[in-house]
Amino acid sequence: MTETFGAEFLVRWLAAVAEVVEREADRLTELDSAIGDADHGANLKRGFAAVAETLAKEPPTTPGAVLGTAGRQLISTVGGASGPLYGTLLRRTGKTLGDDERINRAQLAEALGAGVAAVSQLGGAQVGDKTMLDALVPAVEGLRTSFDAARAAAEEGALGTVPLRARKGRASYLGERSVGHQDPGATSSALLFSTLAETARTEGVS
């Protein structure tokens, strides 16, 4: 197992995310139809497909540049709230990583923490509001331990949104009717971290 990784690892991760999102798009849209605009799956599918295509054409040479490029692509491609939110997550993470050619898991966790903080600031949400942050915040904490811990924490966080009442976003308009539904943003965030863990396992990164 290797402890550091470069740009190629993150390019492969985001390409895998595009495949997983395409496969799960209908489920994400179904979740979003219950408490949102019913466009989350389609929007993310389009956005991450564009990210994978852009990174394949001109692969950046540093981890920070990979995530910065991906974030800008999401913001320019995806409508609704998910484009700016996921775009901000990746852009801020990339900016925090800087120009290092190789990074380790702890550095990625630290940078993702900055990205999550930027998402919280942009959306005005926090853990417990039934948003993507319910998966992202515990995932980043888990990543400080291992890739698998991040995956487990994200998935648990997404499931934990079911009994919550939404306090932010479109779902908040439903009030008590938002209770009993899993948040689509938290669900897609969990997909990002499950794919990250799978990529790490495949690539032999610890």
Side-chain angles (χ1 to χ4, degrees):
M1 299 287 275
T2 177
E3 290 190 1
T4 66
F5 48 91
E8 312 81 17
F9 173 84
L10 295 178
V11 169
R12 283 192 278 271
W13 169 45
L14 291 170
V17 168
E19 292 177 8
V20 169
V21 167
E22 181 173 13
R23 197 165 62 239
E24 297 288 330
D26 288 347
R27 182 169 74 97
L28 293 173
T29 292
E30 188 179 335
L31 290 172
D32 197 31
S33 67
I35 56 174
D37 293 329
D39 60 0
H40 190 61
N43 283 344
L44 284 190
K45 178 179 171 181
R46 183 171 67 252
F48 279 103
V51 165
E53 185 180 347
T54 298
L55 293 177
K57 276 183 190 168
E58 295 181 40
T61 56
T62 65
V66 170
L67 297 181
T69 299
R72 287 191 296 275
Q73 189 66 49
L74 286 173
I75 290 170
S76 66
T77 307
V78 181
S82 54
L85 290 169
Y86 273 116
T88 295
L89 172 68
L90 296 181
R91 277 183 70 180
R92 181 59 63 86
T93 301
K95 185 177 180 182
T96 304
L97 287 173
D99 298 326
D100 290 353
E101 291 191 0
R102 294 189 71 79
I103 60 170
N104 59 31
R105 177 175 44 76
Q107 287 172 287
L108 181 59
E110 194 68 30
L112 278 166
V116 171
V119 169
S120 177
Q121 187 174 20
L122 178 64
Q126 54 192 1
V127 172
D129 285 343
K130 198 182 182 95
T131 71
M132 62 197 295
L133 291 172
D134 289 305
L136 289 176
V137 170
V140 168
E141 278 306 306
L143 190 58
R144 300 182 197 282
T145 302
S146 70
F147 287 106
D148 283 334
R151 176 214 298 255
E155 290 174 350
E156 186 178 339
L159 286 172
T161 63
V162 173
L164 298 178
R165 174 176 173 167
R167 295 194 182 95
K168 292 291 176 182
R170 181 66 183 267
S172 65
Y173 303 156
L174 296 175
E176 288 296 332
R177 286 182 295 147
S178 65
V179 173
H181 298 283
Q182 187 166 317
D183 182 68
T187 306
S188 57
S189 295
L191 289 177
L192 252 67
F193 281 91
S194 64
T195 308
L196 179 62
E198 188 59 32
T199 304
R201 189 186 65 77
T202 304
E203 300 281 325
V205 173
S206 60

